[in-house]
Amino acid sequence: MNEEELLKRSAAERDRIFSCYDRGREGAEIEPWEDPAYEYYHTTDRYGFIHDKRLPQKKDQNEIKSHTIEMERVKKWQKMFKDWNSSSTKDKLKSRVYKGVPDRFRGQVWTILLGIKKLKEEQAGKYKEMLSLARQWSTEIRQIDADVARQYRDHINYRERYSLKQRSMFYVLAAYSMYNMEVGYCQGMSVLAGLLLLYMDEEEAFWGLSVLLTDKKYSMHGFYVDGFPKLNRYMEHHDKIMAKFLPKLKKKLDKCGCDSILYALKWFFVVFQERTPVSLGLRIWDIFLLEGDRVLPAIAYTVMKLHKRQLMTMESLDEFCNYLQIKLEKDFGYDDDSVIRAVQNSMDELKKAKLDYPGPPLPHELPRQPFGTFKEPTFTSKVGRRADEFSEAQQLMRESLVQRRQTIVLEEDDSREGSATPTGMALDNNCGGNNSLGGSKFSFDPSGADASSPHGSRRSLAETSVTSTADLSVFSSATARSQALDNSLDTQSNASVGSSGSCGATLTGSTTPRPQQQSSPDVVRIYVPYGPGGVEQQPQQPRSLPRTLEPNRIRIRVHDPDQTPIVENLKPFALESPDGLDLK
């Protein structure tokens, strides 16, 4: 296709997606997976989230007590709203936010804390202008559409495809992709927009998202801009806190290859919204809007401190990841008030050690381009082509992460030499005999990140609910060398991590370091976890994850790029190479 045809195709696709949201559910072609059925009765909690099992008919005593206390607080908050700017309200605001904002007042409180009313008055008509520009020019529409379809799938307002809230989320994100063209759209922003829309209208959510990214109090722009500079800085700060206050736990996590990016990525990326129960996540969000980003390190430290005893009993990477990513979201193990009190204690503890705050945003974490000023996208952006080379920001993050992982590797190598343990055995002895290199599982979502997006994998960093290969799972390998990291952090090549239009790569095989190999965009390695009814299982295979990869290997040869790949063998067989699947 020539350039004119490519531009026409992109414009037609953008128009088609917008028309689907404009029409809503009327006449829409909705796939079954997009619109799952559910029971209305006994399944939805007070926040609107749907549960797999029916909720109990009777409330327990703790829930009744909590509801009674909240109703008492309603009266106090009503009084505060009547005289919000008084010195009395300012004195009491912090303590009352920490005690809990009544759910019925969350929208009002968030609107005030974010200063949305003033922004709407100063920028009257700007939201509609940006949405109009998005209809004509936004290059992010395909990715936004894919994320809207899978965000907050367990909430009654977002459950149905093209529902009112889904449409609002799409419009907010589309408009913001034009308002802040330096970021455009990055996965993770849909979590923020969806959360704001639960308590605000469409335009309020747009300006709320703008404040979160651009105000120095929150400065989430640094989390989402190219290269994720603030994310990397907060990860490093978390590691310092762990090394000082929880050194034994950190050492165990490092030995099992559980880098902090595996469990803490979404703690910072979406402010704990996908790693904690709903009620606790809302309490954390209330405090975040009041205090700003300085509270994030204390919350992360609190989570690890409260669950130190359980984590110290674990012996494998999968145990750590399953516990921190999945189990805590379902059952945190502590009531919300106890957690918030622990957060306050952690803030005091970190302040004494001068580790309470990683510092103000650095210059490259702040916006550099004016907002709301239209600049026509480049041809490559319009047609969805990715850049051939890494940007400077991406290269800096790659180098920082490689250096961080090498430091842990060197420390472990020194430890092995001191104990005369053969290379490749230390991890097995400390992690219950499991192979940490094969511990990460590739998570592929057919509605995932768009490979043709100009920064496809950057937008895929927060795509999955459970951190996996799509969330840089290569860092789960404590013995991965810098070459392996370079290959897996390739956000532009055909083997980019987390881009659904290409194959994700994860390290597999023996823990023994292998010679560095030349990176090739035509070779990928995928861990294929076959389940019941799949490829025949070897009887001697251990059931604990990560499984050895010997029985799960297949080879696919592509003789002609224009033809369908041919699978040579679907049954287990041994390969000379220990690297898993070879695609040539």
Side-chain angles (χ1 to χ4, degrees), residues 508-521:
T508 61
S510 170
T511 54
T512 304
R514 297 187 296 272
Q516 293 182 0
Q517 300 178 355
Q518 183 67 28
S519 173
S520 168

Side-chain angles (χ1 to χ4, degrees), residues 11 32 62 81 95 159 174 195 206 247 251 278 339 395 451 482 495:
N62 288 333
F81 282 123
S95 64
R159 185 82 167 184
L195 180 62
F206 171 83
K251 185 176 180 180
V278 176
V339 176
Q395 188 62 36
S482 61

